Amino acid sequence: MSEPSTIKINEVAYVRKDSSKNNEGPIKIVVVDRGFVYVGRLQLSTNFILLTDARNIRVWGTTNGLGELVSGPTAKTKLDLVGIVQIPRRAVISIIDTDQSEWKTII
């Protein structure tokens, strides 16, 4: 028997947190100081960059550098789910646009 994706309390339906994806914001690759690279849905604020549905790109798995991941992960790319990441703007090295359709199945 599968687990329910919603529950109703006092006639209000609630969705399981782990069953919904945040579809707000474009999917970007963010390079951060100290060697961290993330991919997720980007939202900007005054002092922080917020990535939701984020993954840490632990292993690029590319033969032509990080830019190859613009078109989606390779078979050798290793992604670790981190959920939400708040990154101080001062720590951002670069933000890379991605092919949204190639990453939507993962993010």
Side-chain angles (χ1 to χ4, degrees), residues 19-36:
S19 70
S20 68
K21 285 192 172 186
N22 177 358
N23 291 324
E24 296 179 21
I27 300 168
K28 304 280 187 172
I29 295 171
V30 180
V31 180
V32 184
D33 66 1
R34 303 189 192 275
F36 290 94

Side-chain angles (χ1 to χ4, degrees), residues 19 39 53:
S19 70
V39 61
D53 295 328

Side-chain angles (χ1 to χ4, degrees), residues 22 24-32 37-44 48-56 82-87 92 95 107:
N22 177 358
E24 296 179 21
I27 300 168
K28 304 280 187 172
I29 295 171
V30 180
V31 180
V32 184
V37 181
Y38 298 99
V39 61
R41 295 192 175 277
L42 183 97
Q43 297 175 23
L44 300 174
F48 287 89
I49 288 176
L50 179 70
L51 282 179
T52 58
D53 295 328
R55 272 65 172 170
N56 174 258
V82 292
I84 297 173
V85 180
Q86 295 184 54
I87 305 165
V92 174
I95 299 173
I107 304 295

